[in-house]
């Protein structure tokens, strides 16, 4: 069995995937990677712009981090890059600390992620309750929806604040600059993204309606064949052409950012100092925590969807760490596993990390060739794509009254509390408070599982039976037993039947010692029978077994 201090082995899944790799698998990975690379382009730009950064920050993060995560990660088919979950976090860091400090925080988070994987902490992420995950995921999705209203409505706002209430106030006070053309582009984009998959999959209603409109079966087949193209790309290209062709008065990437640089970004070291790092502890932990949770949740989804061997969580964290350490030196933003692109990768037939590497290279070629065209992309279209992403990101059904009634009060409290804290405060506060609350509720629930039953009182023997785990959260439940002993006749033998006692900790042991003292005070004898292995080990190792045998309690601790 591995020692707790033993480091995780650094072995990328790519090494195992290449064993027996053949031409057929390569062409499947090639097609899947090219598809995902095309899908990643609008998402990468949209995530960066929504985070308060230039579009190239998202693009180069998708290329560099996507390549490193696939080449060095512990999952066979996971795609890495900028993610919607980071939008609110990154925007808040940029507003409070600036872009330069975001780069430093991201690099430091990369180091922290690598250390987490190195020390085998990947499995600990699985202990985060699902109610907390749903709560903060829905909270982030709601914040993304709110953050995109500015560009969707075409409002003339120079700079949006970071917190939700200030954003809503700013939006409300600037509704007079509403742009109907921008709203129309975003609305058509959103409707199109919801409707586009139905051209392929819904053959009875929507597909039949298309057939009636087109009038010829050959044209219907062409539409269905075309619907295999990723919806975001179709929306981006068609609506950009509409906006450019009709010269619509809407804000574009070119008017706000001046376009996208056509060359590869240069390597640049941020202005690093330990004083700066000390000020960035909270952003660093936030980025690392969210990156770890998102990447490992995504990897689990990839395992279930692809049927590939189970991912290595520690290797995945180390790869995420390297990616987040490297990308800031090229002006990139935080990266993690991305569920939408990973699922697209799986559905396109990917079978190894080669697909993720191809995705990064495809995106690189597209950017180098088509960078000048990106300046015509309307920001309202990117907002529509992000609203679609946020809607699919949230588990909204879990918040319905029907579903809430099915959950326990503890589950509802954790989920809704985490959602509220995420929206009102931030992710770090929400997750920290959620985990503390989850621990408190768990302790309370576990304490209800411990009980003491008086079996018989037949002088000179008083017998009790212990059930469950006697730990710090349940130790007080032994007080009535102590009181019963204090009322019992002198010289009694007190027997504890511990057959059903499954666990004992130091506080529970101290409660047993207090019971022993009460027995001795009544000139009695304590016997503990049928001990399970764990409680027996604690009692013997602590010397309590000798105290019971000798009838002498241990001296009080000071």
């Amino acid at each position: 069995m591995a020692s707790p201090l033993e480091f995780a082995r650094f072995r990328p899944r790519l090494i195992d995937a290449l064993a027996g790799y053949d031409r057929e698998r390569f062409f499947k990975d090639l097609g899947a990677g090219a598809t995902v690379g095309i899908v990643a382009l609008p998402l990468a730009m949209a995530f960066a712009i929504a985070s308060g950064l230039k579009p190239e920050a998202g693009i180069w993060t998708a290329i560099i981090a996507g390549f490193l995560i696939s080449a060095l990660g512990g999952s066979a088919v996971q795609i890495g890059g900028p993610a919607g979950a980071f939008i609110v976090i990154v925007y808040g860091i940029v507003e409070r600390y600036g872009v330069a400090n975001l780069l430093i925080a991201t690099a430091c988070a990369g180091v922290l992620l690598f250390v987490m994987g190195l020390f085998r902490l990947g499995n600990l992420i699985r202990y985060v309750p699902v109610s907390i995950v749903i709560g903060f995921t829905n909270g982030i999705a709601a914040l993304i929806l709110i953050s995109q209203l500015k560009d969707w409505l075409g409002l003339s706002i120079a700079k949006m604040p970071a917190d939700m209430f200030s954003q809503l106030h700013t939006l409300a006070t600037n509704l007079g600059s509403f742009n109907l053309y921008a709203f129309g582009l975003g609305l058509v984009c959103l409707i199109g993204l919801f409707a586009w998959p139905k051209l392929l999959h819904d053959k009875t209603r929507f597909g039949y309606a298309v057939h009636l409109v087109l009038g010829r079966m050959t044209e219907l087949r062409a539409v269905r064949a075309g619907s295999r193209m990723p919806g975001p790309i179709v929306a981006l290209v068609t609506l950009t052409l509409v906006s450019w062709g009709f010269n619509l008065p809407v804000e574009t990437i070119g008017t706000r950012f001046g376009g996208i640089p056509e060359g590869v970004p240069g390597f640049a070291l941020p202005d690093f100092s330990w004083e700066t790092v000390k000020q960035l502890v909270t952003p660093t932990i936030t980025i690392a925590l969210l990156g770890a949770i998102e990447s490992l949740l995504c990897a689990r989804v990839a395992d279930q969807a692809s049927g590939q061997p189970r991912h290595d969580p520690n290797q995945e964290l180390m790869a995420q760490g390297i990616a987040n350490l490297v990308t800031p030196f090229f002006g990139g933003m935080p990266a993690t596993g991305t569920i939408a692109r990973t699922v697209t990768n799986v559905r396109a037939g990917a079978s190894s990390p080669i697909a993720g590497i191809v995705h990064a290279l495809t995106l690189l070629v597209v950017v180098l060739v088509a960078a000048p065209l990106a300046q015509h992309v309307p920001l309202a279209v990117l907002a529509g794509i992000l609203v679609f992403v946020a809607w699919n990101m949230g588990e909204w059904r879990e918040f319905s009254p029907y579903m809430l009634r099915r959950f326990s009060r503890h589950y509802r409290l954790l989920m809704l509390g985490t959602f509220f804290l995420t929206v009102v405060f931030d992710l770090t506060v929400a997750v920290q408070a959620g985990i503390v609350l989850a621990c408190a509720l768990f302790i309370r629930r576990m304490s209800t599982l411990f009980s003491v039953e008086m079996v018989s009182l037949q002088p000179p023997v008083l017998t009790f039976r212990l059930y469950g785990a006697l730990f710090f959260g349940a130790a007080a439940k032994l007080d009535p037993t102590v009181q019963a002993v204090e009322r019992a006749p002198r010289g009694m033998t007190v027997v504890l039947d511990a057959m059903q006692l499954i666990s004992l900790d130091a506080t529970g042991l101290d409660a047993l010692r207090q019971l022993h003292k009460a027995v001795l005070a009544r000139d009695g004898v304590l016997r503990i029978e049928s001990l399970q292995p764990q409680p027996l080990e604690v009692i013997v190792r602590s010397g309590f077994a000798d105290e019971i045998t000798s009838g002498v309690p241990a001296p009080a601790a000071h």
Side-chain angles (χ1 to χ4, degrees), residues 155-158 169-178:
L155 304 182
S156 299
I157 301 174
H169 179 265
T170 303
L171 290 170
T173 55
N174 286 273
L175 285 177
S177 60
F178 172 74

Side-chain angles (χ1 to χ4, degrees), residues 106-124:
T106 303
C108 292
V111 174
L112 184 56
L113 282 166
F114 186 88
V115 171
M116 290 170 62
L118 188 65
F119 282 92
R120 298 175 177 271
L121 299 180
N123 289 320
L124 294 181

Side-chain angles (χ1 to χ4, degrees), residues 7 19 21 30 44 108 116 185 188 206 215 221 239 277-278 322 327 340 344 391-392 437 450 488 500-501 519 528:
F7 291 149
Y21 196 71
L30 185 65
C108 292
M116 290 170 62
L185 286 174
V188 171
F206 197 83
R221 284 197 295 268
L239 294 178
V277 172
K278 291 177 185 178
I322 294 173
T327 52
T344 301
W391 179 259
N392 288 325
L437 183 59
F450 176 77
Q500 304 299 324
L501 181 67
V519 172
I528 305 179

Side-chain angles (χ1 to χ4, degrees), residues 15-38:
I15 296 175
D16 299 323
L18 291 178
Y21 196 71
D22 55 26
R23 182 176 178 180
E24 181 181 356
R25 290 181 63 193
F26 171 73
F27 280 109
K28 286 184 178 180
D29 288 338
L30 185 65
T35 301
V36 181
I38 295 173

Side-chain angles (χ1 to χ4, degrees), residues 312-450:
D312 179 348
N314 299 311
Q315 181 63 41
E316 189 62 32
L317 286 185
M318 287 190 282
Q320 299 283 343
I322 294 173
N324 281 283
L325 175 62
V326 172
T327 52
F329 298 130
F330 296 91
M333 59 187 292
T336 185
T338 58
I339 293 179
R341 276 159 278 173
T342 297
V343 172
T344 301
N345 191 40
V346 172
R347 289 176 177 172
S351 65
S352 79
I354 295 294
I357 294 174
V358 172
H359 133 266
L361 297 177
T362 300
L363 190 53
L364 174 63
V365 172
V366 171
V367 169
L368 293 179
V369 172
L373 303 178
Q375 63 179 330
H376 301 295
V377 175
L379 297 181
V381 174
L382 294 180
I385 292 174
L386 279 186
V387 169
F388 179 74
V389 169
W391 179 259
N392 288 325
M393 176 181 172
E395 297 282 350
W396 308 112
R397 193 170 66 93
E398 304 296 318
F399 281 10
S400 68
Y402 171 75
M403 293 298 295
L404 288 175
R405 284 196 299 268
R406 299 178 59 182
F407 299 140
S408 67
R409 285 180 295 177
H410 290 176
Y411 190 99
R412 292 198 298 266
L413 178 60
L414 281 176
M415 183 173 68
L416 297 178
T418 305
F419 174 81
F420 175 79
L421 291 174
T422 301
V423 171
V424 175
F425 296 100
D426 59 51
L427 175 69
T428 307
V429 173
V431 173
Q432 289 174 350
I435 291 177
V436 169
L437 183 59
C439 291
L441 293 176
F442 175 76
I443 291 169
R444 181 178 180 276
R445 179 170 294 180
M446 288 298 296
S447 68
T448 62
L449 300 180
F450 176 77

Side-chain angles (χ1 to χ4, degrees), residues 2-291:
S3 168
L5 296 178
E6 183 179 350
F7 291 149
R9 183 180 63 161
F10 189 87
R11 184 179 177 84
R13 182 56 56 88
L14 179 63
I15 296 175
D16 299 323
L18 291 178
Y21 196 71
D22 55 26
R23 182 176 178 180
E24 181 181 356
R25 290 181 63 193
F26 171 73
F27 280 109
K28 286 184 178 180
D29 288 338
L30 185 65
T35 301
V36 181
I38 295 173
V39 172
L41 178 61
L43 295 178
M45 291 191 297
F47 292 151
I49 293 172
S51 301
L53 303 172
K54 294 183 178 180
E56 58 264 29
I59 293 174
W60 289 107
T61 299
I63 294 171
I64 298 171
F67 179 89
L68 292 173
I69 290 171
S70 293
L72 304 177
S75 172
V77 292
Q78 176 159 261
I79 300 296
F86 273 120
I87 290 176
V88 179
I89 302 301
V90 172
Y91 190 88
I93 294 173
V94 170
E95 284 293 295
R96 181 174 300 179
Y97 300 97
V99 176
N101 286 331
L102 168 68
L103 301 180
I104 295 175
T106 303
C108 292
V111 174
L112 184 56
L113 282 166
F114 186 88
V115 171
M116 290 170 62
L118 188 65
F119 282 92
R120 298 175 177 271
L121 299 180
N123 289 320
L124 294 181
I125 303 299
R126 300 186 177 192
Y127 295 114
V128 178
V130 66
S131 53
I132 293 179
V133 174
I134 293 175
F136 81 70
T137 300
N138 281 22
I140 291 173
L143 290 174
I144 293 174
L145 287 169
I146 294 172
S147 71
Q148 294 311 296
L149 292 178
K150 167 185 170 289
D151 287 334
W152 186 6
L153 302 177
L155 304 182
S156 299
I157 301 174
K159 200 171 188 65
M160 286 287 287
D163 65 284
M164 181 198 67
F165 294 111
S166 297
Q167 287 181 352
L168 292 175
H169 179 265
T170 303
L171 290 170
T173 55
N174 286 273
L175 285 177
S177 60
F178 172 74
N179 186 323
L180 182 61
Y181 297 100
F183 176 73
L185 286 174
L187 182 62
V188 171
C189 174
L190 192 58
I191 294 174
L193 289 173
F194 278 107
W196 186 253
K198 298 182 181 297
L199 292 174
L200 176 65
H201 298 296
D202 192 345
K203 298 180 180 179
T204 58
R205 295 181 180 177
F206 197 83
Y208 182 67
V210 172
H211 166 59
L212 293 178
V213 171
L214 295 177
R216 288 185 295 177
M217 199 63 189
T218 54
E219 293 183 9
L220 177 59
R221 284 197 295 268
V223 169
R224 284 182 175 161
S227 68
R228 297 179 185 273
M229 285 289 293
I233 285 294
V234 175
L236 186 74
V237 173
T238 56
L239 294 178
T240 298
L241 289 174
V242 168
S243 174
W244 177 72
F246 288 96
N247 195 25
L248 298 181
V250 295
E251 193 172 16
T252 66
I253 289 179
T255 59
R256 181 180 293 183
F257 302 103
I260 298 175
E262 300 179 29
V264 177
F267 181 89
L269 290 173
D271 186 12
F272 179 88
S273 70
W274 284 113
E275 290 301 319
T276 303
V277 172
K278 291 177 185 178
Q279 298 173 7
L280 297 174
V281 171
T282 299
T284 296
I285 294 175
T286 302
I287 294 172
L289 180 64
L290 180 56

